[in-house]
Amino acid sequence: MDNCIFCKIASGEIPAATLYEDDLFRVILDLGPASKGHALILPKNHYANLYEIPDEMVGKAMVLAKKMGTALKEALGCDGLNVVQNNGEAAGQTVFHFHMHLIPRYQDDQVGLSWTPGTLTDKMKAEVLEKVKKALG
């Protein structure tokens, strides 16, 4: 994509603080980090979101998330790690190029990645089960 900022970063056209690179991915430090070490996994090919990326690439991205998360824990001594992947504006996606956030977590870091738990009612459960099973075929 000619105007995709993440395509330009992943290809090396725009410089970034690169933690890791291979033929398929570039992992960079986020310019607006939620915590020290916040990184982004960017595929070099353009896929707008999870719905478009091939299954094989998703699997490789998750294996890379494990590798990078382990390296971040060892290097930075973080107490935990969030792996975040947003799809669509309503879910918080602001750059429409598939990417995964690796957010190192530190005790009492005040990073806000939580929600108020709701209640799974019997009606909601029945509706979701029926519709998703139908969608799966």
Side-chain angles (χ1 to χ4, degrees):
M1 301 277 303
D2 292 340
N3 59 350
C4 175
I5 186 95
F6 281 180
C7 282
K8 292 176 181 181
I9 293 170
S11 71
E13 183 180 335
I14 294 176
T18 299
L19 295 171
Y20 173 87
E21 181 178 10
D22 62 23
D23 292 343
L24 300 174
F25 298 96
R26 183 181 297 261
V27 181
I28 64 167
L29 289 176
D30 194 306
L31 289 177
S35 68
K36 181 173 73 174
H38 181 166
L40 300 175
I41 296 175
L42 307 175
K44 290 186 174 180
N45 289 330
H46 184 83
Y47 311 101
N49 50 47
L50 182 67
Y51 314 119
E52 293 184 8
I53 190 169
D55 293 351
E56 180 181 326
M57 286 294 291
V58 172
K60 289 178 179 187
M62 188 54 81
V63 170
L64 181 54
K66 178 183 177 186
K67 176 180 182 167
M68 294 305 302
T70 301
L72 289 167
K73 181 171 177 46
E74 181 181 323
L76 303 177
C78 56
D79 301 306
L81 178 78
N82 288 113
V83 178
V84 178
Q85 201 284 307
N86 302 317
N87 297 282
E89 191 174 336
Q93 186 178 12
T94 58
V95 178
F96 295 90
H97 178 114
F98 176 92
H99 59 285
M100 296 172 69
H101 293 262
L102 302 177
I103 304 172
R105 299 301 303 272
Y106 305 91
Q107 204 63 44
D108 301 319
D109 63 15
Q110 305 299 310
V111 173
L113 294 175
S114 61
W115 56 87
T116 302
T119 301
L120 180 62
T121 64
D122 288 341
K123 180 180 177 183
M124 184 191 311
K125 178 173 62 174
E127 177 187 350
V128 172
L129 286 171
E130 177 186 341
K131 289 182 176 181
V132 172
K133 286 180 180 181
K134 183 177 181 180
L136 288 171

